[in-house]
Coordinates of all heavy atoms in Angstrom, one line a residue:
M23 N -4.5 -31.8 -20.9 CA -3.2 -32.5 -20.8 C -2.8 -32.5 -19.5 O -2.7 -31.5 -18.6 CB -2.2 -31.7 -21.7 CG -0.9 -32.3 -21.8 SD 0.3 -31.2 -22.6 CE -0.5 -30.8 -24.2
Q24 N -2.2 -33.7 -19.0 CA -1.7 -33.8 -17.6 C -0.3 -33.2 -17.6 O 0.5 -33.4 -18.4 CB -1.8 -35.3 -17.3 CG -1.5 -35.5 -15.8 CD -1.7 -36.9 -15.4 OE1 -1.9 -37.7 -16.3 NE2 -1.4 -37.2 -14.2
M25 N -0.1 -32.5 -16.4 CA 1.2 -31.9 -16.2 C 2.3 -32.9 -15.9 O 1.9 -33.9 -15.2 CB 1.2 -30.9 -15.1 CG 0.4 -29.6 -15.4 SD 1.1 -28.6 -16.7 CE 2.6 -28.1 -15.9
Y26 N 3.4 -32.8 -16.5 CA 4.5 -33.7 -16.3 C 5.2 -33.3 -15.0 O 5.7 -32.2 -14.9 CB 5.4 -33.8 -17.5 CG 6.7 -34.5 -17.3 CD1 6.7 -35.9 -17.0 CD2 7.9 -33.9 -17.3 CE1 7.8 -36.6 -16.8 CE2 9.1 -34.6 -17.1 CZ 9.0 -36.0 -16.8 OH 10.1 -36.6 -16.6
N27 N 5.4 -34.2 -14.1 CA 6.2 -33.9 -12.8 C 7.4 -34.7 -12.9 O 7.4 -35.9 -12.6 CB 5.3 -34.2 -11.6 CG 4.1 -33.3 -11.5 OD1 4.2 -32.1 -11.7 ND2 3.0 -33.9 -11.1
P28 N 8.5 -34.1 -13.2 CA 9.7 -34.9 -13.3 C 10.1 -35.4 -11.9 O 10.2 -34.7 -10.8 CB 10.8 -33.9 -13.8 CG 10.3 -32.6 -13.4 CD 8.7 -32.7 -13.5
E29 N 10.5 -36.7 -11.9 CA 10.9 -37.3 -10.6 C 11.9 -38.4 -10.9 O 11.7 -39.2 -11.8 CB 9.6 -37.9 -9.9 CG 9.9 -38.5 -8.5 CD 8.5 -38.9 -7.9 OE1 7.7 -38.2 -7.6 OE2 8.4 -40.2 -7.8
V30 N 12.9 -38.5 -10.1 CA 13.8 -39.6 -10.2 C 14.1 -40.3 -8.9 O 14.5 -39.6 -7.9 CB 15.2 -39.1 -10.8 CG1 16.2 -40.3 -10.8 CG2 15.0 -38.5 -12.2
L31 N 13.8 -41.5 -8.7 CA 14.0 -42.3 -7.4 C 13.3 -41.6 -6.3 O 13.9 -41.5 -5.2 CB 15.5 -42.5 -7.2 CG 16.3 -43.3 -8.2 CD1 17.8 -43.3 -7.9 CD2 15.7 -44.7 -8.3
G32 N 12.1 -41.0 -6.5 CA 11.4 -40.3 -5.5 C 11.8 -39.0 -5.2 O 11.2 -38.3 -4.3
V33 N 12.8 -38.4 -5.9 CA 13.2 -37.0 -5.7 C 12.5 -36.1 -6.8 O 12.7 -36.3 -8.0 CB 14.7 -36.9 -5.9 CG1 15.1 -35.4 -5.8 CG2 15.3 -37.6 -4.8
S34 N 11.6 -35.2 -6.3 CA 11.0 -34.3 -7.3 C 11.9 -33.3 -7.8 O 12.8 -32.8 -7.1 CB 9.8 -33.6 -6.6 OG 9.3 -32.6 -7.4
L35 N 11.9 -33.1 -9.2 CA 12.8 -32.2 -9.8 C 12.0 -31.0 -10.3 O 12.4 -30.2 -11.1 CB 13.4 -32.8 -11.0 CG 14.3 -34.1 -10.5 CD1 14.9 -34.7 -11.8 CD2 15.5 -33.6 -9.7
R36 N 10.8 -30.8 -9.8 CA 9.9 -29.7 -10.3 C 10.4 -28.3 -10.1 O 10.2 -27.4 -10.8 CB 8.5 -29.8 -9.6 CG 7.6 -30.9 -10.2 CD 6.3 -31.0 -9.5 NE 5.6 -29.8 -9.6 CZ 4.5 -29.5 -9.0 NH1 4.0 -30.4 -8.1 NH2 3.8 -28.4 -9.2
H37 N 11.3 -28.2 -9.0 CA 11.7 -26.8 -8.7 C 12.9 -26.4 -9.6 O 13.3 -25.3 -9.5 CB 12.1 -26.8 -7.2 CG 13.2 -27.8 -6.8 ND1 13.0 -29.1 -6.7 CD2 14.5 -27.6 -6.6 CE1 14.1 -29.7 -6.4 NE2 15.0 -28.8 -6.3
I38 N 13.4 -27.4 -10.3 CA 14.5 -27.0 -11.2 C 13.9 -26.7 -12.5 O 13.3 -27.5 -13.2 CB 15.5 -28.1 -11.4 CG1 16.1 -28.5 -10.1 CG2 16.6 -27.8 -12.3 CD1 17.1 -29.6 -10.1
Q39 N 14.0 -25.3 -12.9 CA 13.3 -24.8 -14.0 C 14.3 -24.2 -15.0 O 15.3 -23.7 -14.7 CB 12.3 -23.7 -13.6 CG 11.3 -24.3 -12.7 CD 10.3 -23.3 -12.2 OE1 10.7 -22.1 -12.1 NE2 9.0 -23.5 -12.1
N40 N 13.9 -24.3 -16.3 CA 14.7 -23.7 -17.3 C 14.4 -22.2 -17.1 O 13.3 -21.7 -17.2 CB 14.2 -24.1 -18.7 CG 15.0 -23.6 -19.8 OD1 15.8 -22.7 -19.7 ND2 14.9 -24.2 -21.0
R41 N 15.6 -21.5 -16.9 CA 15.5 -20.0 -16.6 C 14.8 -19.3 -17.8 O 14.2 -18.2 -17.6 CB 16.9 -19.5 -16.3 CG 17.0 -18.1 -15.8 CD 18.3 -17.8 -15.3 NE 18.5 -16.3 -15.1 CZ 19.3 -15.6 -15.6 NH1 20.3 -16.0 -16.4 NH2 19.4 -14.3 -15.3
Q42 N 14.9 -19.8 -18.9 CA 14.4 -19.1 -20.1 C 12.8 -19.0 -20.1 O 12.3 -18.1 -20.8 CB 14.9 -19.7 -21.4 CG 16.2 -19.2 -22.0 CD 17.3 -19.0 -21.0 OE1 17.3 -18.0 -20.3 NE2 18.1 -20.0 -20.8
E43 N 12.2 -19.9 -19.4 CA 10.8 -19.9 -19.4 C 10.2 -18.6 -18.9 O 9.4 -17.9 -19.6 CB 10.2 -21.0 -18.5 CG 10.5 -22.4 -19.0 CD 10.2 -23.5 -18.0 OE1 9.7 -23.2 -16.9 OE2 10.4 -24.7 -18.4
R44 N 10.7 -18.0 -17.8 CA 10.2 -16.8 -17.3 C 10.6 -15.6 -18.2 O 9.9 -14.7 -18.5 CB 10.7 -16.6 -15.8 CG 9.8 -15.5 -15.1 CD 10.3 -15.5 -13.7 NE 11.2 -14.3 -13.6 CZ 11.9 -14.0 -12.5 NH1 11.8 -14.8 -11.4 NH2 12.7 -12.9 -12.4
R45 N 11.8 -15.7 -18.6 CA 12.4 -14.5 -19.4 C 11.6 -14.5 -20.8 O 11.3 -13.4 -21.2 CB 13.9 -14.7 -19.7 CG 14.6 -14.6 -18.4 CD 16.1 -15.0 -18.5 NE 16.9 -13.9 -19.1 CZ 18.1 -14.0 -19.7 NH1 18.6 -15.3 -19.7 NH2 18.7 -13.0 -20.2
V46 N 11.3 -15.6 -21.3 CA 10.6 -15.6 -22.7 C 9.1 -15.1 -22.4 O 8.6 -14.3 -23.2 CB 10.6 -17.0 -23.3 CG1 9.4 -17.2 -24.3 CG2 11.9 -17.4 -23.9
C47 N 8.5 -15.4 -21.4 CA 7.2 -14.9 -21.0 C 7.2 -13.4 -20.9 O 6.3 -12.8 -21.4 CB 6.6 -15.6 -19.8 SG 6.0 -17.3 -20.0
E48 N 8.2 -12.9 -20.2 CA 8.3 -11.4 -20.0 C 8.5 -10.7 -21.4 O 7.8 -9.7 -21.6 CB 9.4 -11.1 -19.1 CG 9.2 -11.6 -17.6 CD 10.4 -11.5 -16.7 OE1 11.5 -11.3 -17.2 OE2 10.3 -11.7 -15.5
V49 N 9.4 -11.3 -22.2 CA 9.7 -10.6 -23.5 C 8.4 -10.7 -24.3 O 8.0 -9.8 -25.1 CB 10.9 -11.2 -24.2 CG1 11.1 -10.7 -25.6 CG2 12.1 -10.9 -23.3
M50 N 7.8 -11.9 -24.4 CA 6.6 -12.1 -25.2 C 5.5 -11.1 -24.8 O 4.8 -10.5 -25.6 CB 6.0 -13.5 -25.1 CG 6.7 -14.5 -25.9 SD 6.1 -16.2 -25.7 CE 4.4 -15.9 -26.4
T51 N 5.3 -10.9 -23.4 CA 4.3 -10.0 -23.0 C 4.6 -8.6 -23.5 O 3.6 -7.8 -23.9 CB 4.3 -10.0 -21.4 OG1 3.9 -11.3 -21.0 CG2 3.2 -9.1 -20.9
A52 N 5.8 -8.1 -23.4 CA 6.2 -6.8 -23.8 C 6.0 -6.7 -25.4 O 5.5 -5.6 -25.8 CB 7.6 -6.6 -23.4
E53 N 6.5 -7.7 -26.1 CA 6.5 -7.5 -27.5 C 5.0 -7.5 -28.1 O 4.8 -7.0 -29.1 CB 7.3 -8.7 -28.2 CG 8.8 -8.5 -28.0 CD 9.4 -7.2 -28.6 OE1 8.8 -6.8 -29.7 OE2 10.3 -6.6 -28.0
L54 N 4.2 -8.4 -27.5 CA 2.8 -8.5 -28.0 C 1.8 -7.6 -27.5 O 0.8 -7.5 -28.1 CB 2.3 -10.0 -27.7 CG 3.1 -11.1 -28.5 CD1 2.6 -12.5 -28.0 CD2 3.0 -11.0 -30.0
A55 N 2.3 -6.8 -26.5 CA 1.3 -5.8 -25.9 C 0.8 -4.9 -26.9 O -0.4 -4.5 -26.9 CB 2.0 -5.2 -24.7
D56 N 1.7 -4.3 -27.7 CA 1.3 -3.3 -28.7 C 1.2 -3.8 -30.2 O 1.2 -3.0 -31.1 CB 2.3 -2.1 -28.7 CG 2.2 -1.5 -27.2 OD1 1.1 -1.4 -26.7 OD2 3.3 -1.2 -26.8
D57 N 1.2 -5.1 -30.3 CA 1.2 -5.7 -31.6 C -0.2 -6.1 -32.0 O -0.7 -7.1 -31.9 CB 2.1 -7.0 -31.6 CG 2.4 -7.5 -33.0 OD1 1.6 -7.2 -34.0 OD2 3.3 -8.2 -33.2
E58 N -0.8 -5.1 -32.7 CA -2.2 -5.3 -33.1 C -2.5 -6.2 -34.3 O -3.6 -6.6 -34.5 CB -2.9 -3.9 -33.4 CG -2.9 -3.0 -32.1 CD -3.4 -1.6 -32.4 OE1 -3.7 -1.3 -33.6 OE2 -3.4 -0.8 -31.5
D59 N -1.3 -6.4 -35.0 CA -1.5 -7.3 -36.2 C -1.4 -8.8 -35.7 O -1.8 -9.7 -36.5 CB -0.3 -7.1 -37.1 CG -0.5 -5.8 -37.9 OD1 -1.6 -5.2 -37.9 OD2 0.5 -5.2 -38.4
F60 N -1.0 -9.0 -34.6 CA -0.7 -10.5 -34.2 C -2.1 -11.0 -33.7 O -2.9 -10.4 -33.0 CB 0.3 -10.6 -33.1 CG 0.7 -12.0 -32.8 CD1 1.5 -12.7 -33.6 CD2 0.1 -12.6 -31.6 CE1 1.8 -14.0 -33.4 CE2 0.5 -14.0 -31.4 CZ 1.3 -14.7 -32.2
C61 N -2.4 -12.3 -34.1 CA -3.7 -13.0 -33.8 C -4.0 -12.9 -32.3 O -5.0 -12.5 -31.9 CB -3.6 -14.3 -34.3 SG -5.0 -15.3 -33.8
G62 N -3.0 -13.5 -31.5 CA -3.2 -13.4 -30.0 C -4.1 -14.5 -29.5 O -4.4 -14.4 -28.3
C63 N -4.6 -15.4 -30.3 CA -5.4 -16.5 -29.8 C -4.4 -17.4 -28.9 O -3.2 -17.4 -29.0 CB -6.1 -17.2 -30.9 SG -5.1 -18.4 -31.8
T64 N -5.1 -18.4 -28.1 CA -4.3 -19.3 -27.3 C -3.3 -20.1 -28.1 O -2.1 -20.2 -27.8 CB -5.3 -20.3 -26.6 OG1 -6.1 -19.4 -25.8 CG2 -4.5 -21.2 -25.7
L65 N -3.7 -20.6 -29.3 CA -2.9 -21.4 -30.1 C -1.7 -20.7 -30.6 O -0.5 -21.2 -30.5 CB -3.7 -22.0 -31.3 CG -2.9 -23.0 -32.2 CD1 -2.4 -24.2 -31.4 CD2 -3.8 -23.4 -33.3
C66 N -1.9 -19.5 -31.1 CA -0.7 -18.7 -31.7 C 0.3 -18.3 -30.5 O 1.4 -18.3 -30.7 CB -1.3 -17.4 -32.3 SG -2.0 -17.8 -34.0
I67 N -0.3 -17.9 -29.3 CA 0.6 -17.5 -28.2 C 1.4 -18.8 -27.8 O 2.6 -18.8 -27.6 CB -0.2 -17.0 -27.1 CG1 -0.7 -15.6 -27.5 CG2 0.6 -16.9 -25.8 CD1 -1.5 -14.8 -26.5
E68 N 0.7 -19.9 -27.7 CA 1.5 -21.2 -27.3 C 2.5 -21.5 -28.4 O 3.6 -22.0 -28.0 CB 0.5 -22.4 -27.2 CG -0.4 -22.2 -26.0 CD -1.5 -23.4 -25.9 OE1 -1.7 -24.0 -26.9 OE2 -2.1 -23.5 -24.8
D69 N 2.2 -21.3 -29.7 CA 3.2 -21.6 -30.7 C 4.4 -20.7 -30.6 O 5.5 -21.1 -30.9 CB 2.5 -21.5 -32.1 CG 1.6 -22.7 -32.4 OD1 1.8 -23.8 -31.7 OD2 0.9 -22.7 -33.4
V70 N 4.2 -19.4 -30.4 CA 5.3 -18.6 -30.2 C 6.2 -18.9 -29.1 O 7.4 -19.0 -29.2 CB 4.8 -17.1 -30.0 CG1 6.0 -16.1 -29.6 CG2 4.1 -16.5 -31.3
Y71 N 5.6 -19.3 -28.0 CA 6.4 -19.8 -26.8 C 7.2 -21.0 -27.1 O 8.3 -21.0 -26.8 CB 5.3 -20.0 -25.6 CG 6.0 -20.5 -24.3 CD1 6.7 -19.5 -23.6 CD2 6.0 -21.7 -23.9 CE1 7.4 -19.9 -22.4 CE2 6.5 -22.2 -22.8 CZ 7.3 -21.3 -22.0 OH 7.9 -21.7 -20.9
A72 N 6.4 -22.0 -27.7 CA 7.2 -23.2 -28.0 C 8.3 -23.0 -29.0 O 9.4 -23.6 -28.9 CB 6.1 -24.3 -28.6
C73 N 8.0 -22.1 -30.0 CA 9.0 -21.9 -31.0 C 10.2 -21.1 -30.4 O 11.4 -21.5 -30.6 CB 8.4 -21.1 -32.1 SG 9.5 -20.7 -33.5
A74 N 10.0 -20.1 -29.6 CA 11.1 -19.4 -29.0 C 11.8 -20.3 -28.0 O 13.1 -20.3 -28.0 CB 10.5 -18.2 -28.2
M75 N 11.2 -21.1 -27.2 CA 11.9 -21.9 -26.2 C 12.7 -23.0 -27.0 O 13.8 -23.3 -26.5 CB 10.9 -22.7 -25.4 CG 10.2 -21.8 -24.4 SD 11.3 -20.9 -23.2 CE 12.0 -22.2 -22.3
S76 N 12.3 -23.4 -28.2 CA 13.0 -24.4 -28.9 C 14.3 -23.9 -29.6 O 15.3 -24.5 -29.8 CB 12.1 -25.0 -30.0 OG 11.1 -25.6 -29.5
R77 N 14.2 -22.5 -29.9 CA 15.4 -21.8 -30.5 C 16.4 -21.5 -29.5 O 17.6 -21.3 -29.9 CB 14.8 -20.6 -31.2 CG 13.8 -20.9 -32.3 CD 13.1 -19.7 -32.8 NE 14.0 -18.8 -33.6 CZ 13.9 -18.6 -34.9 NH1 13.0 -19.3 -35.6 NH2 14.7 -17.8 -35.5
L78 N 16.1 -21.3 -28.2 CA 17.0 -20.8 -27.3 C 17.6 -22.1 -26.5 O 17.0 -23.1 -26.3 CB 16.3 -20.0 -26.2 CG 15.9 -18.6 -26.6 CD1 14.8 -18.0 -25.7 CD2 17.2 -17.7 -26.7
R79 N 18.9 -21.9 -26.2 CA 19.5 -23.1 -25.5 C 19.0 -23.0 -24.1 O 18.8 -21.9 -23.5 CB 21.1 -23.0 -25.6 CG 21.6 -21.7 -25.0 CD 23.2 -21.7 -25.3 NE 23.7 -20.4 -24.8 CZ 23.8 -19.3 -25.4 NH1 23.1 -19.2 -26.6 NH2 24.3 -18.2 -25.0
A80 N 18.8 -24.2 -23.5 CA 18.3 -24.2 -22.1 C 19.3 -23.8 -21.1 O 20.5 -24.0 -21.3 CB 17.8 -25.6 -21.9
H81 N 18.9 -23.3 -20.0 CA 19.7 -23.0 -18.9 C 19.0 -23.3 -17.6 O 18.1 -22.5 -17.2 CB 20.1 -21.5 -19.0 CG 21.1 -21.1 -18.0 ND1 20.9 -20.2 -17.0 CD2 22.4 -21.5 -17.8 CE1 22.0 -20.0 -16.3 NE2 22.9 -20.8 -16.8
Y82 N 19.2 -24.3 -17.0 CA 18.5 -24.8 -15.8 C 19.2 -24.3 -14.5 O 20.4 -24.3 -14.4 CB 18.4 -26.3 -15.8 CG 17.4 -26.8 -16.8 CD1 17.8 -27.2 -18.1 CD2 16.1 -27.0 -16.6 CE1 17.0 -27.5 -19.1 CE2 15.2 -27.4 -17.5 CZ 15.6 -27.7 -18.7 OH 14.7 -28.1 -19.7
L83 N 18.4 -23.9 -13.6 CA 18.8 -23.3 -12.3 C 18.5 -24.3 -11.2 O 17.4 -24.9 -11.2 CB 18.3 -21.9 -12.1 CG 18.8 -20.8 -12.9 CD1 18.3 -19.5 -12.4 CD2 20.3 -20.8 -12.9
H84 N 19.4 -24.3 -10.3 CA 19.2 -25.1 -9.0 C 19.6 -24.2 -7.9 O 20.3 -23.4 -8.0 CB 20.1 -26.4 -9.1 CG 20.0 -27.3 -8.0 ND1 20.9 -27.4 -7.0 CD2 18.9 -28.1 -7.6 CE1 20.5 -28.3 -6.1 NE2 19.3 -28.7 -6.4
R85 N 19.0 -24.5 -6.7 CA 19.2 -23.8 -5.5 C 20.7 -23.7 -5.2 O 21.3 -22.7 -4.9 CB 18.4 -24.3 -4.3 CG 17.0 -23.9 -4.3 CD 16.3 -24.5 -3.1 NE 16.5 -25.9 -3.2 CZ 15.6 -26.9 -2.7 NH1 14.5 -26.5 -2.3 NH2 15.9 -28.1 -2.9
V86 N 21.3 -24.9 -5.2 CA 22.8 -24.9 -5.0 C 23.4 -24.9 -6.4 O 23.4 -25.9 -7.1 CB 23.2 -26.2 -4.3 CG1 24.6 -26.2 -4.0 CG2 22.4 -26.3 -2.9
S87 N 23.8 -23.8 -6.7 CA 24.1 -23.5 -8.1 C 25.4 -24.3 -8.6 O 26.4 -24.4 -7.9 CB 24.5 -22.0 -8.3 OG 24.3 -21.7 -9.7
I88 N 25.2 -24.9 -9.7 CA 26.4 -25.5 -10.4 C 26.9 -24.5 -11.4 O 26.2 -23.7 -11.9 CB 26.0 -26.9 -11.0 CG1 24.9 -26.6 -12.1 CG2 25.7 -27.8 -10.0 CD1 24.5 -27.9 -12.8
V89 N 28.2 -24.6 -11.7 CA 28.8 -23.7 -12.7 C 28.7 -24.3 -14.1 O 29.2 -25.4 -14.3 CB 30.3 -23.5 -12.3 CG1 30.9 -22.5 -13.4 CG2 30.4 -22.8 -10.9
L90 N 28.0 -23.6 -15.0 CA 27.9 -24.1 -16.4 C 29.0 -23.4 -17.2 O 29.2 -22.2 -17.1 CB 26.5 -23.8 -16.9 CG 25.4 -24.4 -16.1 CD1 24.0 -23.9 -16.6 CD2 25.4 -25.9 -16.2
K91 N 29.5 -24.1 -18.1 CA 30.5 -23.5 -18.9 C 29.9 -22.6 -19.9 O 30.5 -21.6 -20.4 CB 31.4 -24.6 -19.7 CG 32.3 -25.3 -18.7 CD 33.3 -26.2 -19.5 CE 34.3 -26.9 -18.4 NZ 35.1 -27.9 -19.1
R92 N 28.7 -22.9 -20.5 CA 28.1 -22.2 -21.5 C 27.3 -21.1 -20.8 O 26.5 -21.4 -19.9 CB 27.1 -23.0 -22.3 CG 27.8 -23.8 -23.4 CD 26.9 -24.3 -24.4 NE 25.6 -24.8 -23.8 CZ 24.6 -25.2 -24.5 NH1 24.6 -25.2 -25.7 NH2 23.5 -25.7 -23.8
P93 N 27.4 -19.9 -21.1 CA 26.6 -18.8 -20.5 C 25.2 -18.9 -21.0 O 24.9 -19.4 -22.1 CB 27.3 -17.5 -20.9 CG 28.0 -17.9 -22.3 CD 28.3 -19.3 -22.1
P94 N 24.2 -18.4 -20.2 CA 22.9 -18.4 -20.7 C 22.7 -17.4 -21.7 O 23.5 -16.4 -21.8 CB 22.1 -18.0 -19.4 CG 23.1 -17.3 -18.6 CD 24.4 -17.8 -18.9
P95 N 21.6 -17.5 -22.5 CA 21.4 -16.5 -23.6 C 21.2 -15.1 -22.9 O 20.6 -15.0 -21.8 CB 20.1 -17.0 -24.2 CG 19.9 -18.3 -23.8 CD 20.6 -18.6 -22.6
N96 N 21.7 -14.1 -23.5 CA 21.5 -12.8 -22.9 C 20.2 -12.2 -23.4 O 19.4 -12.7 -24.1 CB 22.7 -11.8 -23.3 CG 22.8 -11.6 -24.8 OD1 21.8 -11.6 -25.5 ND2 24.1 -11.5 -25.3
D97 N 19.9 -11.0 -22.8 CA 18.6 -10.4 -23.1 C 18.3 -10.1 -24.6 O 17.2 -10.3 -25.1 CB 18.4 -9.0 -22.3 CG 18.3 -9.3 -20.8 OD1 18.0 -10.5 -20.4 OD2 18.4 -8.3 -20.1
L98 N 19.4 -9.7 -25.3 CA 19.2 -9.5 -26.7 C 18.9 -10.7 -27.5 O 18.0 -10.7 -28.4 CB 20.5 -8.8 -27.3 CG 20.5 -8.5 -28.8 CD1 19.3 -7.5 -29.1 CD2 21.8 -8.0 -29.2
E99 N 19.6 -11.8 -27.2 CA 19.3 -13.1 -27.8 C 17.9 -13.5 -27.6 O 17.2 -14.0 -28.5 CB 20.3 -14.1 -27.4 CG 21.7 -14.0 -27.8 CD 22.6 -15.0 -27.2 OE1 22.7 -16.1 -27.7 OE2 23.1 -14.8 -26.0
I100 N 17.5 -13.4 -26.4 CA 16.1 -13.9 -26.1 C 15.1 -12.9 -26.9 O 14.1 -13.6 -27.5 CB 15.8 -13.7 -24.5 CG1 16.6 -14.8 -23.9 CG2 14.3 -13.9 -24.2 CD1 16.6 -14.8 -22.3
R101 N 15.3 -11.7 -26.9 CA 14.4 -10.8 -27.6 C 14.4 -11.1 -29.1 O 13.3 -11.2 -29.8 CB 14.7 -9.4 -27.4 CG 13.7 -8.4 -27.9 CD 14.0 -7.0 -27.5 NE 13.0 -6.0 -28.1 CZ 13.2 -5.5 -29.3 NH1 14.3 -5.8 -30.0 NH2 12.3 -4.8 -29.8
E102 N 15.5 -11.4 -29.7 CA 15.7 -11.7 -31.1 C 14.9 -13.0 -31.4 O 14.2 -13.1 -32.4 CB 17.2 -11.9 -31.5 CG 17.9 -10.5 -31.6 CD 19.3 -10.7 -31.9 OE1 19.9 -11.8 -31.8 OE2 20.0 -9.7 -32.2
E103 N 15.0 -14.0 -30.5 CA 14.4 -15.3 -30.8 C 12.9 -15.2 -30.6 O 12.1 -15.9 -31.3 CB 15.0 -16.4 -29.9 CG 16.4 -16.7 -30.2 CD 16.7 -17.2 -31.6 OE1 15.8 -17.4 -32.4 OE2 17.9 -17.3 -31.9
V104 N 12.4 -14.4 -29.6 CA 11.0 -14.2 -29.4 C 10.4 -13.6 -30.6 O 9.4 -13.9 -31.2 CB 10.7 -13.4 -28.1 CG1 9.3 -13.0 -28.1 CG2 11.0 -14.3 -26.9
C105 N 11.1 -12.5 -31.1 CA 10.6 -11.8 -32.3 C 10.6 -12.6 -33.5 O 9.6 -12.5 -34.3 CB 11.4 -10.5 -32.5 SG 11.2 -9.2 -31.2
A106 N 11.6 -13.4 -33.7 CA 11.6 -14.4 -34.8 C 10.5 -15.3 -34.7 O 9.8 -15.6 -35.7 CB 13.0 -15.1 -34.9
A107 N 10.2 -15.8 -33.5 CA 9.1 -16.8 -33.3 C 7.8 -16.2 -33.6 O 6.9 -16.8 -34.2 CB 9.1 -17.4 -31.9
I108 N 7.6 -14.9 -33.2 CA 6.3 -14.1 -33.5 C 6.1 -14.1 -35.0 O 5.0 -14.3 -35.5 CB 6.4 -12.7 -32.8 CG1 6.3 -12.9 -31.3 CG2 5.3 -11.9 -33.4 CD1 6.5 -11.6 -30.6
E109 N 7.2 -13.7 -35.7 CA 7.1 -13.7 -37.2 C 6.8 -15.0 -37.9 O 5.9 -15.0 -38.8 CB 8.3 -13.0 -37.8 CG 8.6 -11.6 -37.3 CD 7.3 -10.7 -37.5 OE1 6.6 -10.7 -38.6 OE2 7.0 -10.0 -36.5
V110 N 7.3 -16.0 -37.4 CA 7.1 -17.3 -37.9 C 5.6 -17.7 -37.7 O 4.9 -18.1 -38.7 CB 7.9 -18.5 -37.2 CG1 7.4 -19.9 -37.5 CG2 9.3 -18.3 -37.6
V111 N 5.0 -17.4 -36.5 CA 3.6 -17.8 -36.2 C 2.7 -16.8 -37.0 O 1.6 -17.2 -37.4 CB 3.4 -17.7 -34.7 CG1 1.9 -17.9 -34.4 CG2 4.2 -18.9 -34.0
R112 N 3.1 -15.5 -37.1 CA 2.3 -14.5 -37.8 C 2.1 -14.9 -39.3 O 1.1 -14.9 -39.8 CB 2.9 -13.2 -37.7 CG 2.1 -12.0 -38.3 CD 2.9 -10.8 -38.5 NE 3.7 -10.3 -37.5 CZ 3.3 -9.6 -36.5 NH1 2.1 -9.2 -36.3 NH2 4.3 -9.3 -35.6
L113 N 3.2 -15.4 -39.9 CA 3.2 -15.8 -41.3 C 2.5 -17.1 -41.5 O 1.9 -17.3 -42.6 CB 4.6 -15.7 -42.0 CG 5.3 -14.4 -42.0 CD1 6.7 -14.5 -42.4 CD2 4.6 -13.5 -42.9
R114 N 2.6 -18.0 -40.6 CA 2.2 -19.4 -40.8 C 1.4 -19.8 -39.6 O 1.9 -20.7 -38.9 CB 3.3 -20.3 -41.2 CG 3.9 -19.9 -42.5 CD 4.9 -20.9 -42.9 NE 4.4 -22.2 -43.1 CZ 5.1 -23.3 -43.1 NH1 6.4 -23.3 -43.1 NH2 4.6 -24.5 -43.4
P115 N 0.3 -19.3 -39.2 CA -0.5 -19.7 -38.0 C -1.0 -21.1 -38.2 O -1.2 -21.5 -39.3 CB -1.6 -18.7 -37.9 CG -1.8 -18.1 -39.3 CD -0.4 -18.1 -39.9
N116 N -1.1 -21.9 -37.1 CA -1.5 -23.2 -37.2 C -3.0 -23.4 -37.2 O -3.5 -24.5 -37.1 CB -1.0 -24.0 -36.0 CG 0.4 -24.6 -36.3 OD1 0.6 -25.1 -37.3 ND2 1.3 -24.7 -35.3
H117 N -3.7 -22.3 -37.4 CA -5.2 -22.4 -37.5 C -5.6 -21.8 -38.9 O -4.9 -21.0 -39.4 CB -5.9 -21.8 -36.4 CG -5.5 -20.4 -36.1 ND1 -5.9 -19.3 -36.9 CD2 -4.6 -19.8 -35.2 CE1 -5.4 -18.2 -36.5 NE2 -4.6 -18.5 -35.4
A118 N -6.9 -22.0 -39.2 CA -7.3 -21.4 -40.5 C -7.3 -19.9 -40.2 O -7.6 -19.4 -39.1 CB -8.7 -21.9 -40.8
S119 N -7.0 -19.2 -41.3 CA -7.0 -17.7 -41.1 C -8.4 -17.2 -40.9 O -9.4 -17.7 -41.5 CB -6.3 -17.1 -42.3 OG -6.9 -17.4 -43.5
V120 N -8.4 -16.2 -40.1 CA -9.8 -15.6 -39.8 C -10.0 -14.3 -40.6 O -9.1 -13.5 -40.6 CB -9.9 -15.2 -38.3 CG1 -11.2 -14.6 -37.9 CG2 -9.7 -16.5 -37.5
T121 N -11.0 -14.2 -41.3 CA -11.1 -13.1 -42.2 C -12.4 -12.3 -41.9 O -13.3 -12.7 -41.2 CB -11.3 -13.5 -43.7 OG1 -12.3 -14.4 -43.9 CG2 -9.9 -14.0 -44.2
Ligands
ZN210 ZN1 -4.2 -17.4 -33.7

């Protein structure tokens, strides 16, 4: 899959990232580290990430910060959504179950 490079009128927007991307990765790493029941294949990890990111409201950061009225999700919200996503994928993985 080719990476999407956002660009408008020649201005690259690659450096503007959704702050939740890094935080979700950190929480997933911590939550899945000791989870021996979780499949852990590439597809399942991608699904947890996509599910958690879809559940969380986006919060984009820019070097010259703009003030957003809505606060970003806090650590507890991120952890709750990542754990919920893990359970969704654990119960209904997108691949045939391995026995
Ligand atoms: Zn899997």
Side-chain angles (χ1 to χ4, degrees):
M23 184 190 307
Q24 190 172 2
M25 291 295 294
Y26 170 64
N27 293 318
E29 183 180 297
V30 175
L31 299 176
V33 175
S34 172
L35 302 173
R36 285 179 61 186
H37 60 286
I38 299 180
Q39 297 175 327
N40 184 344
R41 189 170 169 232
Q42 268 47 275
E43 293 171 1
R44 199 176 97 190
R45 296 170 81 195
V46 164
C47 285
E48 291 169 353
V49 172
M50 281 180 64
T51 299
E53 290 296 324
L54 293 176
D56 299 322
D57 191 336
E58 295 175 1
D59 290 339
F60 189 76
C61 170
C63 76
T64 300
L65 184 61
C66 286
I67 289 177
E68 288 176 347
D69 280 349
V70 169
Y71 180 74
C73 184
M75 290 300 295
S76 297
R77 297 167 72 107
L78 287 161
R79 61 187 178 277
H81 187 242
Y82 287 88
L83 286 187
H84 181 251
R85 281 178 305 215
V86 182
S87 198
I88 57 174
V89 178
L90 300 174
K91 287 187 177 175
R92 280 193 321 174
N96 62 36
D97 289 345
L98 178 62
E99 288 176 89
I100 290 177
R101 189 168 177 277
E102 284 176 349
E103 296 300 353
V104 165
C105 289
I108 289 171
E109 293 314 310
V110 166
V111 175
R112 188 195 315 274
L113 292 173
R114 298 183 59 195
N116 266 323
H117 55 74
S119 55
V120 179
T121 53

